[in-house]
């Protein structure tokens, strides 16, 4: 029996016996009390079940970032992370995509803020999207990675959250934070396949 059926049974029992006050037995009242309790229990169970179903409809918080593989000759630009996680490790320049901002625009902005290297967002070529659930220990982060090639005389300086900046060999960048080593390897393959003609920054 569901909650409605329990309530209806209790009401029928009370309605049928109430007029015959002299014939009501104590067990009849006990039966009605039990039915009412069962009705409450059934209603509570139905409500809890509805809440449990609703609880299953939860959504994971996903953060959207952009990273840049900035190539100069045979080197790639990395920053030394000045904050956790992976504080002190080398990583690609990058950061969060702001509200109302495209990932391409965010990549150009983060590159300028962290390294001082200015490129036009239209010069960036997307390398791919990295979205492994465990790629960042802080939670679910999805990043769009971009490639840009800058002139050989391009200089960089540490800014924003970067403790330092350095140019490291593109083919042997060393251990990088997060999955940035995979991103660099993918960008390098694309760079070689196109003869270095993709993602070339124009001089101002």
């Amino acid at each position: 029996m569901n909650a409605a059926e329990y309530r209806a049974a209790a009401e029928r029992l009370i309605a049928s016996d109430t007029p015959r006050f002299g014939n009501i037995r104590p067990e009849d009242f006990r039966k009605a009390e039990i039915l009412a309790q069962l009705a409450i229990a059934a209603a509570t169970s139905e409500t809890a079940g509805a809440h449990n179903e609703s609880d299953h409809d939860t959504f994971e918080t996903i953060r959207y970032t952009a990273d840049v593989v900035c190539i100069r000759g045979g080197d790639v630009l990395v920053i030394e992370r000045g904050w956790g996680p992976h504080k002190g490790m080398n990583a690609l320049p990058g950061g969060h995509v702001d509200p109302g901002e495209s990932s391409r625009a965010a990549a150009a902005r983060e590159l300028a803020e962290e390294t001082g290297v200015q490129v036009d967002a239209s010069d960036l070529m997307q390398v791919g999207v990295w979205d492994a659930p465990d790629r960042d220990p802080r939670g679910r982060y999805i990043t769009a990675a971009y490639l840009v090639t800058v002139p050989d005389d391009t200089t960089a300086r540490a800014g924003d959250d970067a403790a330092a900046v350095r140019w490291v060999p593109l083919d042997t960048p060393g251990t990088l934070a997060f999955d940035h080593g995979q991103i660099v390897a993918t960008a390098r393959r694309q760079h070689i396949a196109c003869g270095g003609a993709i993602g070339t920054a124009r001089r101002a």
Side-chain angles (χ1 to χ4, degrees):
M1 295 174 68
N2 58 32
E5 291 171 334
Y6 278 122
R7 292 191 188 94
E11 290 171 358
R12 284 197 301 272
L13 179 61
I14 294 172
S16 62
D17 285 343
T18 298
R20 303 194 306 273
F21 292 103
N23 297 326
I24 295 178
R25 298 166 298 176
E27 55 265 30
D28 291 332
F29 284 108
R30 178 58 181 160
K31 187 183 297 183
E33 181 182 3
I34 292 172
L35 286 172
Q37 290 174 349
L38 288 172
I40 294 171
T44 302
S45 177
E46 288 180 355
T47 302
H51 285 189
N52 289 338
E53 290 177 1
S54 176
D55 290 343
H56 290 310
D57 295 332
T58 56
F59 297 94
E60 186 176 21
T61 299
I62 297 178
R63 296 169 178 83
Y64 188 28
T65 61
D67 294 305
V68 186
V69 179
C70 180
I71 297 175
R72 184 190 69 178
D75 296 331
V76 61
L77 180 60
V78 297
I79 65 166
E80 179 183 325
R81 288 179 62 83
W83 69 102
H86 305 305
K87 182 178 181 180
M89 289 188 66
N90 287 341
L92 293 172
H96 289 87
V97 177
D98 289 340
E101 185 179 39
S102 70
S103 60
R104 189 182 301 274
R109 174 180 55 76
E110 288 288 345
L111 180 64
E113 290 177 355
E114 293 187 347
T115 72
V117 176
Q118 302 275 350
V119 299
D120 193 282
S122 62
D123 292 332
L124 295 167
M125 189 200 77
Q126 190 176 83
V127 176
V129 174
W130 273 257
D131 64 352
D134 59 350
R135 64 179 300 271
D136 192 309
R138 295 170 295 183
R140 189 69 186 272
Y141 278 75
I142 294 177
T143 196
Y146 291 87
L147 166 66
V148 66
T149 303
V150 296
D152 291 344
D153 59 353
T154 300
T155 59
R157 55 168 177 75
D160 201 8
D161 297 323
V165 296
R166 54 182 62 96
W167 299 93
V168 298
L170 178 61
D171 57 350
T172 55
T175 301
L176 302 180
F178 308 107
D179 49 9
H180 290 185
Q182 298 175 22
I183 297 174
V184 170
T186 301
R188 177 174 176 269
R189 288 194 297 269
Q190 294 181 9
H191 182 67
I192 293 173
C194 296
I198 57 174
T200 302
R202 294 164 290 183
R203 287 186 179 274

